[in-house]
Amino acid sequence: MLELLLTLAIVTQDQIPLRGAPEENAPRHAVLTQGDTLEVRGVKGDYLQVYDHRRERAGYILATQAAEYQLDAKTAPKLLAVAEFLADQPGSEALGIAYSAAFLKATPAEMIDANAFAALGRMADRLAWRASRVTPGNEKAAQLVSAHMETAANTGVAFYSVERNDKMTLCYDGDAWRHVMALPASPEQKVEAALSLTRHECVKADLLPSQRLEADLQRAATLGRVLDDGAKGGDLPEHLKNRLKIRAAGVWAGIAHEQSMKDGSDAAAVIKAGQTAQTLLAGIDKNALTASDRAAWNVAAIRVGASRWAAQPQTLAQPGKGRPGIALAAGDKPGQTCVKVIAAEGGKTAPDAAAHCTFGHIWTASLAVSPDGKFMTLAVQPLNTWRELWVFRQEPDGWQLDIVPPATDNPELGYIEFAGWVPGNKQMLVARETVAGCQAKTSFELWNRSTLSIERRADKPGNLSTFYRWQDPAWKGGTVAVR
């Protein structure tokens, strides 16, 4: 629409009436909001005679309620200056996007650099963030941000929604940031673009498994390219390297699980993805973490923790004297895997052992058998951000299974894992990490082995003497819960 206008007026305020005559009491044809762009067709006193192409309405607005510009190359620098100023003004995103759009239309393509697209991307991201966080019941705020979204969409800025765990997130489609990635730009702009294009919460929830894997590989490539360029240039600040590594660690952790769930999955690819995630997490400079980065670092560690078994070859120890084991078999449904307990005597399937099936991935390398051979634990990961603990225990009537989730109050992500057997065959150690309401929580626990009830817990292993003393060395060497 903008290319058709020679003179335009950008509405600078919200709730501005478009009147049918140049009078204060004239009937209203529409209510305009900041960022609405109008064609100027004349001036009558204090009023501009305008035409709203989006609403297909003509009318008048006060000249003080809009900024008038000639849409040509001479005006372009003024438009960009205002857009860059508004890029850092929360609440003015729709207005700033209108200025950015006007600049892009008024400027020859060869004269447009990354600065204009970076400002546009920043404002579009912030507008989507505002729209996603409108307080339920606040009708006035909801209507205002909805009007701003419609105004931005009219300039060609596209948004989409992602629903996950009963939560709706609005996301910018990232077109401006892709231009930043393609143009010469500062290292800071490249980092901002990469982080915007790779948000976990903006991965579409309706993707097929193969599409999700492809999308995550693209995200990993985007982050890796900026990290590599920063390493070559040597001019990337440490805190920005941290942000890239934090995001990339979470992405590669998801890739590890997605690779493991593929039909005929490549074991080497799974291990490589898992090890890449752990290497990125380990490479983060904790001394350079800001307060907000520290929260993101903890969330990334939980993502890596959920898939940490991917970094190891999935061997399966065979049953031995006094030591039972498990066997895996394909289930009746596509993608289903079933687990059966193998008795210690002779390595045959116990007659009373029922098969327990799952659509998640069973990390066979995680199998832990108690010293008395009556308990076993197994890590099972149904989602790339969620890992459960399966606890098998031998009862007089056969082997029973308890599936223990990381939490029961619908957290966003988490994992729970075996951490050691306590001498005496009555207790076991467990660690878990969860994220709920943007808060990460780590817990080290002492369980009653028979009832799986928590007897004691602490936020650090050293604060629970039994845990500190009897934690399994293999767990301590592989877990990310202690960092």
Side-chain angles (χ1 to χ4, degrees), residues 201-217:
E201 66 272 20
C202 288
V203 176
K204 294 180 180 179
D206 58 351
L207 295 178
L208 296 174
S210 59
Q211 295 172 325
R212 174 61 190 260
L213 176 58
E214 181 181 354
D216 281 349
L217 288 170

mmCIF file of all heavy atoms in Angstrom, residues 201-217:
data_model
loop_
_atom_site.group_PDB
_atom_site.id
_atom_site.type_symbol
_atom_site.label_atom_id
_atom_site.label_comp_id
_atom_site.label_asym_id
_atom_site.label_seq_id
_atom_site.Cartn_x
_atom_site.Cartn_y
_atom_site.Cartn_z
ATOM 1 N N GLU A 201 10.530 -21.199 22.399
ATOM 2 C CA GLU A 201 9.077 -21.067 22.528
ATOM 3 C C GLU A 201 8.389 -20.770 21.203
ATOM 4 O O GLU A 201 7.156 -20.829 21.115
ATOM 5 C CB GLU A 201 8.733 -19.977 23.547
ATOM 6 C CG GLU A 201 9.132 -18.565 23.158
ATOM 7 C CD GLU A 201 10.550 -18.195 23.574
ATOM 8 O OE1 GLU A 201 11.353 -19.112 23.819
ATOM 9 O OE2 GLU A 201 10.827 -16.991 23.661
ATOM 10 N N CYS A 202 9.167 -20.449 20.170
ATOM 11 C CA CYS A 202 8.579 -20.099 18.873
ATOM 12 C C CYS A 202 8.719 -21.209 17.839
ATOM 13 O O CYS A 202 8.416 -20.995 16.666
ATOM 14 C CB CYS A 202 9.187 -18.790 18.352
ATOM 15 S SG CYS A 202 8.628 -17.338 19.284
ATOM 16 N N VAL A 203 9.179 -22.374 18.256
ATOM 17 C CA VAL A 203 9.156 -23.530 17.359
ATOM 18 C C VAL A 203 7.714 -24.020 17.296
ATOM 19 O O VAL A 203 7.098 -24.290 18.324
ATOM 20 C CB VAL A 203 10.077 -24.652 17.857
ATOM 21 C CG1 VAL A 203 9.949 -25.878 16.962
ATOM 22 C CG2 VAL A 203 11.518 -24.173 17.895
ATOM 23 N N LYS A 204 7.168 -24.130 16.109
ATOM 24 C CA LYS A 204 5.752 -24.463 15.956
ATOM 25 C C LYS A 204 5.450 -25.835 16.537
ATOM 26 O O LYS A 204 6.186 -26.795 16.322
ATOM 27 C CB LYS A 204 5.361 -24.397 14.478
ATOM 28 C CG LYS A 204 5.454 -22.978 13.909
ATOM 29 C CD LYS A 204 5.065 -22.934 12.446
ATOM 30 C CE LYS A 204 5.171 -21.498 11.918
ATOM 31 N NZ LYS A 204 4.814 -21.410 10.476
ATOM 32 N N ALA A 205 4.363 -25.901 17.295
ATOM 33 C CA ALA A 205 4.031 -27.127 18.025
ATOM 34 C C ALA A 205 3.429 -28.202 17.144
ATOM 35 O O ALA A 205 3.378 -29.366 17.537
ATOM 36 C CB ALA A 205 3.066 -26.795 19.165
ATOM 37 N N ASP A 206 2.953 -27.838 15.947
ATOM 38 C CA ASP A 206 2.272 -28.816 15.093
ATOM 39 C C ASP A 206 3.194 -29.451 14.059
ATOM 40 O O ASP A 206 2.725 -30.099 13.123
ATOM 41 C CB ASP A 206 1.086 -28.161 14.394
ATOM 42 C CG ASP A 206 1.492 -26.959 13.546
ATOM 43 O OD1 ASP A 206 2.660 -26.549 13.636
ATOM 44 O OD2 ASP A 206 0.628 -26.437 12.812
ATOM 45 N N LEU A 207 4.506 -29.273 14.220
ATOM 46 C CA LEU A 207 5.436 -29.864 13.261
ATOM 47 C C LEU A 207 5.486 -31.390 13.420
ATOM 48 O O LEU A 207 5.409 -31.917 14.531
ATOM 49 C CB LEU A 207 6.846 -29.303 13.473
ATOM 50 C CG LEU A 207 7.050 -27.812 13.198
ATOM 51 C CD1 LEU A 207 8.490 -27.420 13.511
ATOM 52 C CD2 LEU A 207 6.711 -27.461 11.761
ATOM 53 N N LEU A 208 5.614 -32.085 12.299
ATOM 54 C CA LEU A 208 5.861 -33.521 12.347
ATOM 55 C C LEU A 208 7.268 -33.767 12.895
ATOM 56 O O LEU A 208 8.121 -32.865 12.843
ATOM 57 C CB LEU A 208 5.737 -34.124 10.947
ATOM 58 C CG LEU A 208 4.352 -34.038 10.294
ATOM 59 C CD1 LEU A 208 4.426 -34.534 8.852
ATOM 60 C CD2 LEU A 208 3.331 -34.848 11.078
ATOM 61 N N PRO A 209 7.537 -34.958 13.446
ATOM 62 C CA PRO A 209 8.882 -35.216 13.997
ATOM 63 C C PRO A 209 10.010 -34.896 13.035
ATOM 64 O O PRO A 209 11.027 -34.312 13.422
ATOM 65 C CB PRO A 209 8.823 -36.704 14.348
ATOM 66 C CG PRO A 209 7.378 -36.954 14.643
ATOM 67 C CD PRO A 209 6.618 -36.076 13.701
ATOM 68 N N SER A 210 9.854 -35.266 11.760
ATOM 69 C CA SER A 210 10.908 -34.989 10.784
ATOM 70 C C SER A 210 11.052 -33.492 10.544
ATOM 71 O O SER A 210 12.161 -32.975 10.363
ATOM 72 C CB SER A 210 10.615 -35.698 9.460
ATOM 73 O OG SER A 210 9.366 -35.268 8.927
ATOM 74 N N GLN A 211 9.934 -32.775 10.555
ATOM 75 C CA GLN A 211 9.972 -31.323 10.371
ATOM 76 C C GLN A 211 10.594 -30.638 11.581
ATOM 77 O O GLN A 211 11.334 -29.660 11.440
ATOM 78 C CB GLN A 211 8.557 -30.791 10.130
ATOM 79 C CG GLN A 211 7.916 -31.263 8.843
ATOM 80 C CD GLN A 211 6.453 -30.868 8.748
ATOM 81 O OE1 GLN A 211 5.731 -30.844 9.747
ATOM 82 N NE2 GLN A 211 6.018 -30.549 7.545
ATOM 83 N N ARG A 212 10.298 -31.159 12.773
ATOM 84 C CA ARG A 212 10.875 -30.583 13.982
ATOM 85 C C ARG A 212 12.394 -30.772 13.974
ATOM 86 O O ARG A 212 13.147 -29.845 14.326
ATOM 87 C CB ARG A 212 10.265 -31.248 15.228
ATOM 88 C CG ARG A 212 10.892 -30.830 16.571
ATOM 89 C CD ARG A 212 10.731 -29.335 16.807
ATOM 90 N NE ARG A 212 11.505 -28.894 17.945
ATOM 91 C CZ ARG A 212 11.002 -28.673 19.171
ATOM 92 N NH1 ARG A 212 9.725 -28.889 19.407
ATOM 93 N NH2 ARG A 212 11.775 -28.257 20.138
ATOM 94 N N LEU A 213 12.849 -31.954 13.572
ATOM 95 C CA LEU A 213 14.285 -32.197 13.507
ATOM 96 C C LEU A 213 14.942 -31.260 12.493
ATOM 97 O O LEU A 213 16.002 -30.676 12.769
ATOM 98 C CB LEU A 213 14.557 -33.654 13.136
ATOM 99 C CG LEU A 213 16.019 -34.046 12.928
ATOM 100 C CD1 LEU A 213 16.846 -33.757 14.179
ATOM 101 C CD2 LEU A 213 16.132 -35.521 12.545
ATOM 102 N N GLU A 214 14.323 -31.090 11.340
ATOM 103 C CA GLU A 214 14.877 -30.193 10.323
ATOM 104 C C GLU A 214 14.929 -28.759 10.840
ATOM 105 O O GLU A 214 15.919 -28.051 10.631
ATOM 106 C CB GLU A 214 14.038 -30.272 9.051
ATOM 107 C CG GLU A 214 14.558 -29.398 7.921
ATOM 108 C CD GLU A 214 13.705 -29.477 6.673
ATOM 109 O OE1 GLU A 214 12.766 -30.295 6.641
ATOM 110 O OE2 GLU A 214 13.958 -28.713 5.718
ATOM 111 N N ALA A 215 13.864 -28.331 11.524
ATOM 112 C CA ALA A 215 13.828 -26.965 12.065
ATOM 113 C C ALA A 215 14.919 -26.769 13.106
ATOM 114 O O ALA A 215 15.585 -25.717 13.150
ATOM 115 C CB ALA A 215 12.453 -26.684 12.673
ATOM 116 N N ASP A 216 15.141 -27.773 13.956
ATOM 117 C CA ASP A 216 16.170 -27.648 14.988
ATOM 118 C C ASP A 216 17.575 -27.670 14.388
ATOM 119 O O ASP A 216 18.474 -26.979 14.876
ATOM 120 C CB ASP A 216 16.011 -28.761 16.025
ATOM 121 C CG ASP A 216 14.896 -28.468 17.024
ATOM 122 O OD1 ASP A 216 14.404 -27.322 17.026
ATOM 123 O OD2 ASP A 216 14.514 -29.374 17.787
ATOM 124 N N LEU A 217 17.773 -28.453 13.353
ATOM 125 C CA LEU A 217 19.079 -28.453 12.686
ATOM 126 C C LEU A 217 19.356 -27.091 12.047
ATOM 127 O O LEU A 217 20.499 -26.614 12.059
ATOM 128 C CB LEU A 217 19.128 -29.556 11.631
ATOM 129 C CG LEU A 217 19.214 -30.996 12.172
ATOM 130 C CD1 LEU A 217 19.015 -32.001 11.048
ATOM 131 C CD2 LEU A 217 20.555 -31.226 12.875
#
